[in-house]
Amino acid sequence: MAELLNIEALSAGYGEAVVIQNVSLSLHEGQTLALLGRNGTGKTTLINTLAGATKQHGGRITLGGVQLHTLPSHERAAAGIGWVPQERNIFKSLTVDENLTAVARPARAGRTAAQWTPARVYEMFPRLAERKGNLGTQLSGGEQQMLAVGRALVLNPSLLLLDEPLEGLAPIIVQELLRALSRITREEGLSAIIVEQHPQAILAISDVAAVLDRGTVVHSGTARGLQEQPALLDKLLGVAR
């Protein structure tokens, strides 16, 4: 597999406050990275930095050969970033269908995977198909999250960024979203970085894992290797037995 993403000595934060320091990671095409760590360790800041929503203090980000760190945030979707932030950022005054069609863009030249369209999103999330005429304000939290994922998919990204996609959702919706994310990454081969507070659930659908602590990478390796060492995982995440 060819390398898709390379993060080299990245430091970033908000204003003059540096939150992540000297972070280096790489991801190959078709891989999913589980990004783990306790609250406040810099996971969201790293995701936001890739999307262009922080102040970068140093380092380089290369995505598919594009120097991502040189681009403003509004140009990063065209470069291949699909971002699902914690706030979801759907247009609540628009219908489900309008949310999808307003941002949809064709796949970039040379893409071999099937193109994501609103129709394919409805096939992935039948709940959205049933509510395609509903406004964003009329959706449940789980449906809003599905719509946020769908909006990122119709950008036809090469890298999907998901910041705590399971947060606050009912267990049945969590399982539905996990099945969809597994299909998107495993069957469709879309690369993804997933930040999540449910490590075992995300490790099960990921290829590689990284753990942040105090803004730096303290562990990186295969997702299965970390999943099979619960004591190490608990230690890295500060979980007391």
Side-chain angles (χ1 to χ4, degrees):
M1 291 182 291
E3 185 178 79
L4 173 67
L5 174 71
N6 184 267
I7 301 170
E8 182 181 351
L10 182 65
S11 296
Y14 306 94
E16 296 308 309
V18 177
V19 179
I20 57 172
Q21 304 177 60
N22 200 34
V23 170
S24 295
L25 290 169
S26 63
L27 192 66
H28 287 82
E29 292 178 355
Q31 284 189 325
T32 296
L33 168 69
L35 185 60
L36 308 174
R38 292 171 293 176
N39 288 332
T41 57
K43 304 183 303 295
T44 291
T45 299
L46 177 53
I47 289 285
N48 289 352
T49 301
L50 295 178
T54 66
K55 181 177 180 180
Q56 189 169 326
H57 292 273
R60 300 165 63 86
I61 309 168
T62 306
L63 179 69
V66 175
Q67 300 297 306
L68 201 66
H69 59 278
T70 66
L71 300 180
S73 57
H74 66 274
E75 293 182 11
R76 298 200 184 192
I81 291 290
W83 182 32
V84 183
Q86 286 181 327
E87 302 80 12
R88 297 170 185 156
N89 286 2
I90 65 169
F91 297 135
K92 294 187 177 181
S93 61
L94 299 183
T95 66
V96 168
D97 202 54
E98 289 168 341
N99 262 277
L100 295 174
T101 56
V103 300
R105 66 169 66 233
R108 288 171 301 284
R111 180 189 174 102
T112 57
Q115 180 166 300
W116 282 99
T117 62
R120 288 197 71 211
V121 170
Y122 291 139
E123 188 271 331
M124 177 69 68
F125 297 113
R127 288 173 183 263
L128 295 183
E130 296 168 1
R131 293 160 177 75
K132 63 191 301 184
N134 289 40
L135 299 176
T137 53
Q138 298 172 317
L139 302 179
S140 69
E143 290 161 354
Q144 288 185 15
Q145 189 64 281
M146 292 174 190
L147 180 55
V149 173
R151 278 168 48 87
L153 289 175
V154 296
L155 292 170
N156 281 290
S158 55
L159 178 63
L160 186 63
L161 307 176
L162 297 137
D163 194 357
E164 298 200 19
L166 310 180
E167 183 181 13
L169 302 183
I172 189 172
I173 301 298
V174 167
Q175 293 306 312
E176 193 170 340
L177 265 172
L178 281 172
R179 285 194 296 270
L181 293 177
S182 179
R183 177 178 165 187
I184 290 165
T185 56
R186 297 293 194 197
E187 298 179 26
E188 301 287 341
L190 179 59
S191 298
I193 298 178
I194 308 177
V195 170
E196 190 46 63
Q197 295 297 325
H198 300 79
Q200 291 292 351
I202 295 305
L203 287 170
I205 64 170
S206 300
D207 302 292
V208 290
V211 181
L212 293 184
D213 188 34
R214 299 180 184 180
T216 63
V217 177
V218 295
H219 175 87
S220 62
T222 67
R224 176 176 291 182
L226 193 53
Q227 190 179 25
E228 292 176 347
Q229 298 182 76
L232 173 61
L233 181 60
D234 287 350
K235 179 181 179 181
L236 290 169
L237 300 184
V239 177
R241 284 186 174 271

